[in-house]
Amino acid sequence: MQRRDFLQLGALTAVVGPLVGNGAAQQPLPLPPNMPNMPNMPASASTAGPAELSGTEFTLQIAPVTVELAPNRIVSTIGYNGISPGPRLRMKEGVPVSVNVVNDTDVPEYVHFHGLLIPSDVDGSEEEGTPVVPARGKRTYRFTPTPAGTRWYHTHTMSMDDLHRGSYTGMFGFLIVEGANNPGNFDQEHYLALRDWEPFFTNQLMDNDDLDPTGPKAEKPDVLDTRPPGMEVTADIFSINDKALGGGEPIRVRPGERVMFHFLNASAIENRHIALPGHKFNVVALDGNPVPAPAAVDVLMLGPGERIDALVTMDRPGVWIMGAPEDPVREGGLGIVIEYANQRRTPQWMPAPPSAWDYTRFGKPPSQPAPAEKLDMVFEKIPRGAGKFNSFTVNGKPYPHEQEFVLKQGTRYRLTFHNRTDDAHPMHLHRHQFEIAEIYGKATSGIIKDTVVVPTYGRASVDFTADQPGLTLFHCHIQHHMDYGFKALLRYA
Ligand SMILES: [Cu+2]
């Protein structure tokens, strides 16, 4: 019996808890059953620390942790300070900090500070030459956090075929860089990290393409590669922060409240969508950076590594499920209950209106001419190029592209991604931010990001200024893709 079959059977026979609805559109909430390979662990090796740390001196202890997704549904993994997600780190823009990392495991580690403009030796990337945090050792990262916004931190080790290492573990957390002016025009705010657990290899990937952007498939080859693909990584147990849907407390709101949600896709494996029936998300920032044209949408899309800050006006009293539009993902745990005051109903789900994600909705018309300097990157997948797994090339060459991407300091570049694969990839540039210039065949400006999902067989162009000397890693934020070649190293002349 396949694992997925087992899960579905288990879900059907699971004792349905107090969350079963009785409305026309309600769905039962079968939580993932306790898996035989998810033992109820004794108390974790480290003591759970506070959920938020602020100041200039931080300590992150890497050690085994247990995560209670729901009563009797406990996963064991590696985390920071005894919890997963790790503590939210709150820093002030421009004020130097020290992050002391204590590694209480037998595996050398890197902590990457995602979305910050910091030097290579503290960026937390082996490829960039950041010194390792040795197994059973410690190292201090010192840097000056910038720019302000919703950032995050996570392990940056390779996993290869070990699904208990790297970003498959619980080693991730929010990092908030506070700027000088923080308007905070809302009634409450929540930091929500989307996660999956207990990943496994599969040949059959669930397709969520309905909600994905459509546009010209400018890079679709005339003759498709029909060789059998290698195995990919998937999961069927999900959570928001450390709780599966129904496994934790609801978010309690009052009619008329404005709630700021800070979403992070901390998954190592898949792009995710989020909807809240009857409500719209007013997107105000992407990857922590305010957008030129905030706009309201029904469904959010986040590739691994991406963040969205969105305001929701609570104007439809009820008890709702905010979660993944795809039934198996939401029922597998990717959701959280939004409960209005004085509402006693069971949580309701309603399918979201048809809605494809489009970054350019939040941009402004292009105003700048294209930079004179251009770089092109062609992404290709080699089916089973790495034994039972696919491998990836950038410009037909394997990592590390010694003379391929050499930047002149102070120069502005237009970087064009040609995605000749049958997947949408979340591409992340370390230590820099870029401005989306064109995507889905549409030109735009003013959207500043560090990660962008390049559509299936699509093309995207981003502009960036080479103003951060030092080795700079560029990679797909899907761990399995990065590990099998989907990365390049940019260097300065
Ligand atoms: Cu990828």
Side-chain angles (χ1 to χ4, degrees):
M1 194 161 68
Q2 295 298 304
R3 185 167 180 212
R4 187 172 286 276
D5 298 337
F6 176 84
L7 263 179
Q8 283 169 349
L9 273 180
L12 285 172
T13 55
V15 176
V16 178
L19 286 177
V20 172
N22 51 11
Q26 115 286 350
Q27 305 256 347
L29 285 176
L31 290 168
N34 203 9
M35 301 296 296
N37 57 349
M38 291 162 61
N40 278 319
M41 298 277 292
S44 63
S46 40
T47 322
E52 179 169 303
L53 301 172
S54 61
T56 58
E57 192 85 15
F58 300 87
T59 296
L60 294 177
Q61 183 216 13
I62 301 171
V65 300
T66 53
V67 184
E68 189 183 296
L69 300 177
N72 298 320
R73 292 186 181 101
I74 298 173
V75 293
S76 55
T77 182
I78 311 291
Y80 296 120
N81 296 11
I83 51 179
S84 177
R88 195 158 59 236
L89 306 183
R90 194 170 285 278
M91 304 176 176
K92 285 211 181 335
E93 184 180 19
V95 178
V97 298
S98 301
V99 181
N100 310 297
V101 181
V102 180
N103 182 2
D104 287 340
T105 74
D106 295 322
V107 178
E109 275 295 340
Y110 296 90
V111 181
H112 169 52
F113 303 95
H114 183 129
L116 297 189
L117 309 177
I118 55 176
S120 305
D121 62 346
V122 290
D123 189 50
S125 157
E126 179 178 17
E127 293 86 344
E128 294 172 353
T130 309
V132 73
V133 186
R136 304 285 164 193
K138 52 183 78 171
R139 177 166 295 281
T140 299
Y141 294 79
R142 289 191 178 84
F143 57 86
T144 301
T146 190
T150 306
R151 316 291 166 205
W152 69 301
Y153 64 101
H154 60 87
T155 175
H156 214 289
T157 55
M158 306 268 274
S159 306
M160 304 310 287
D161 62 354
D162 185 346
L163 299 184
H164 295 96
R165 290 194 57 179
S167 54
Y168 302 118
T169 69
M171 284 187 275
F172 64 93
F174 279 94
L175 192 169
I176 308 306
V177 181
E178 289 184 338
N181 49 358
N182 190 2
N185 186 18
F186 43 79
D187 299 299
Q188 46 174 310
E189 67 182 325
H190 296 275
Y191 293 87
L192 304 178
L194 317 181
R195 266 301 295 213
D196 31 65
W197 302 98
E198 305 273 311
F200 56 95
F201 292 110
T202 181
N203 273 319
Q204 275 126 39
L205 270 189
M206 188 166 53
D207 242 329
N208 300 330
D209 289 351
D210 288 359
L211 296 158
D212 286 342
T214 50
K217 297 201 176 335
E219 299 294 335
K220 190 170 186 176
D222 292 335
V223 180
L224 294 183
D225 195 332
T226 54
R227 288 176 286 177
M231 295 208 286
E232 290 269 357
V233 182
T234 191
D236 44 27
I237 300 173
F238 307 93
S239 69
I240 292 184
N241 295 335
D242 59 346
K243 295 299 178 198
L245 174 59
E249 290 291 304
I251 292 175
R252 295 187 172 89
V253 302
R254 292 173 190 286
E257 272 191 332
R258 283 157 56 85
V259 180
M260 173 68 89
F261 292 107
H262 307 279
F263 291 101
L264 156 68
N265 184 352
S267 168
I269 62 178
E270 275 175 285
N271 301 332
R272 297 276 174 236
H273 306 92
I274 288 286
L276 173 56
H279 298 74
K280 285 183 182 292
F281 296 103
N282 189 35
V283 173
V284 296
L286 294 174
D287 289 354
N289 306 311
V291 293
V297 298
D298 291 303
V299 183
L300 303 176
M301 190 276 283
L302 301 97
E306 288 190 301
R307 289 87 67 210
I308 295 178
D309 297 329
L311 268 173
V312 176
T313 300
M314 294 297 166
D315 54 5
R316 187 149 178 195
V319 183
W320 303 103
I321 295 169
M322 180 167 73
E326 306 88 355
D327 294 343
V329 180
R330 189 182 62 259
E331 289 163 10
L334 197 78
I336 188 166
V337 174
I338 307 287
E339 183 185 284
Y340 279 71
N342 304 316
Q343 296 284 325
R344 296 278 177 270
R345 305 166 64 183
T346 50
Q348 310 277 302
W349 171 258
M350 289 190 299
S355 163
W357 180 252
D358 181 350
Y359 294 112
T360 68
R361 283 194 68 164
F362 318 108
K364 58 185 182 188
S367 48
Q368 306 286 357
E373 295 287 332
K374 290 185 164 51
L375 289 171
D376 283 272
M377 291 188 175
V378 175
F379 307 147
E380 285 170 300
K381 177 166 93 175
I382 305 169
R384 304 199 183 188
K388 58 189 175 196
F389 303 130
N390 305 314
S391 64
F392 295 86
T393 58
V394 176
N395 289 357
K397 301 185 191 98
Y399 180 83
H401 308 89
E402 296 282 344
Q403 299 303 319
E404 195 92 12
F405 307 111
V406 182
L407 306 174
K408 285 173 283 190
Q409 192 176 341
T411 301
R412 192 153 176 90
Y413 289 87
R414 172 150 298 180
L415 178 54
T416 300
F417 309 126
H418 306 262
N419 180 8
R420 294 190 187 153
T421 80
D422 55 1
D423 264 326
H425 299 278
M427 302 309 305
H428 172 45
L429 181 63
H430 281 228
R431 305 180 51 247
H432 297 71
Q433 294 187 316
F434 50 69
E435 179 178 1
I436 300 180
E438 188 181 323
I439 192 162
Y440 328 123
K442 302 179 198 178
T444 186
S445 75
I447 302 170
I448 312 295
K449 291 178 60 57
D450 53 60
T451 307
V452 64
V453 177
V454 183
T456 301
Y457 293 129
R459 193 182 290 167
S461 291
V462 302
D463 296 346
F464 74 101
T465 301
D467 54 4
Q468 297 288 328
L471 293 173
T472 299
L473 186 62
F474 171 79
H475 64 92
C476 177
H477 220 284
I478 294 173
Q479 175 93 42
H480 194 63
H481 296 176
M482 175 176 75
D483 287 345
Y484 289 92
F486 209 154
K487 58 181 178 176
L489 199 54
L490 283 63
R491 58 198 80 222
Y492 280 72

